[in-house]
Amino acid sequence: MELRNILHERFGYTSFRKGQQEIIEDVIAGRNVVAMLPTGAGKSICYLLPGYILDGAVIIVSPLLSLMEDQVHQLQMIGEKRSVAINSFLSFEEKKRVVEDLAKYKYIFVSPEMLQNSYFMNKLRRLHVSLFVIDEAHCISQWGHEFRTDYLKLSSVMKELGSPTCLALTATATKQVLKDIVGFLKLKDVHYHLHSIDRPNISINVEKVATIDDKKRKLIEWVQRLQGPGMIYFSSRWWAEHISSLLVEAGIKGVAYYHGGMDAEQRMLIQQQFLSDQLQIICCTNAFGMGVNKPNVRYVIHFHYPTTIEAYLQEIGRAGRDGLPSIGILLHSPSDQELPEALIQQEFPSKDELEHIVATIKNNVPLHQLIKEDELLAFSTINETGWRFIKYQLEIGGWLIEGRLVKDILPEEFLRHIKTLIEKRLVYKHQKLQEMSQWMHTSTTCRRQGYLSIFDEKLTKPVPQCCDLCKVDYQLYENKGETSEIKVKDWQQELKLILIK
Ligand SMILES: [Zn+2]
């Protein structure tokens, strides 16, 4: 069947969006593809459609539980029942049942951690996997080094599955990150489909304020002035909650907060309410966003700035997915510098934590016996993230094989190795932060041109309402007193809007 027919029949679209068809054709022809499409360009069609042509299963590695749940839910809504998300939302019994019946499914969404589960992998190996998709592939580089170390093992997973065609998808990747993706996945004969990361319908603005109190006042002003729905990003849970109550006190309606410290049910509820326009404003940390496919977000305000320009672009990219004019505003005060510094430090285990865990392993873990990770963590001050990082280093250094310590650890040698590694990563993280900070402080070049040049891109044509340095008419984004955006009544139409993002 012709691709366009499948697109229409299965997904209800009459034509492809820019970039989709070429990617799909390459994937069907069995070529490994690395694709960069801006957020909102319809990445999921690039692997869902080939699923209707290719014989075997499509495995989609996804970094977030909510993202997987969403995708499966949307597929079921369009009548595709052969999809499943295997993650911690399933009970033990459910997981067992699904894994036993794995052959029934066409689209299998999994976390990278799940692919390290030997029981699951045993079942998966028996399937014919025709396409291996890595969604949000930049996680391989951006996160992989520190806390998603299982991402770095995907190349061996693919090999175990008979090296199926691989499609790595991302919305924001610099040349270095693209190199990381291909390198870590050990991909051969890669076909690249790289599209501009820019979203011309989003106006980019940085506003400087003198103090933190000024920033709070300014934020309230913007929230009262702008047409919602909107998202406000914070670097910490405390700030997200604090400002959320401040907005409520200021009489602003439909405000809630969202962060990783809330339980899963609460988070799901807030997300659903925001998606269905029952909430107008979300005060959130970066735990919210990836996989949130809300087409009509009109503004994204940064109360705190993220540590990389990539993260910034991803976050503002949640605005205007319906293609309508939207605005990003970053509020900056001189005292902001300390937070990102602290965030970067927090990503790595401290010197004391490192020394303590190495001593604990040395004294408590007998050679050739399976490490009891829970007990080990209970003994130590190190958190789960820090432990994963160390575990991965033990594995690639040949100390640890399949959960067993196979040679004695020489603490000095191992600690020296880890410390050098952390120092190297810290230098890199600080360079990225520096890049973000320079971009914020620029007062001469266009902000859009500024971030495009980081991605080796150029602004090819002028963008209306481009950025604060090119001048913006803020009246265009004001709340005109209309209660809300146009409500899409037809659920199928609404679903279409969501699915294509
Ligand atoms: Zn500009």
Side-chain angles (χ1 to χ4, degrees), residues 204 445-449 459 463 466-471:
I204 308 291
T445 36
C446 160
R447 296 203 190 276
R448 198 173 297 270
Q449 183 53 63
L459 201 58
V463 170
C466 172
C467 69
D468 57 304
L469 299 172
C470 297
K471 298 284 173 280

Side-chain angles (χ1 to χ4, degrees), residues 47 50-51 54 56-60 106-109 129-133:
Y47 56 81
L54 300 169
V58 179
I59 308 286
I60 304 107
K106 182 82 198 177
Y107 301 100
I108 303 169
F109 292 82
V129 176
S130 55
L131 179 60
F132 193 87
V133 183

Side-chain angles (χ1 to χ4, degrees), residues 204-210 215 304-306 309 312 330-338 340-341 430-448 450-451 454 467-469:
I204 308 291
N205 298 271
V206 176
E207 186 171 9
K208 295 207 169 78
V209 290
K215 202 200 263 193
H304 297 125
Y305 61 89
I309 200 105
Y312 175 72
L330 189 156
L331 296 171
H332 179 253
S333 73
S335 64
D336 289 350
Q337 209 67 27
E338 295 151 26
E341 280 290 338
H430 282 112
Q431 279 169 357
K432 298 299 292 177
L433 180 60
Q434 187 62 25
E435 195 175 67
M436 176 72 204
S437 167
Q438 271 170 3
W439 175 82
M440 278 187 316
H441 287 104
T442 185
S443 54
T444 46
T445 36
C446 160
R447 296 203 190 276
R448 198 173 297 270
Y451 62 63
I454 292 172
C467 69
D468 57 304
L469 299 172

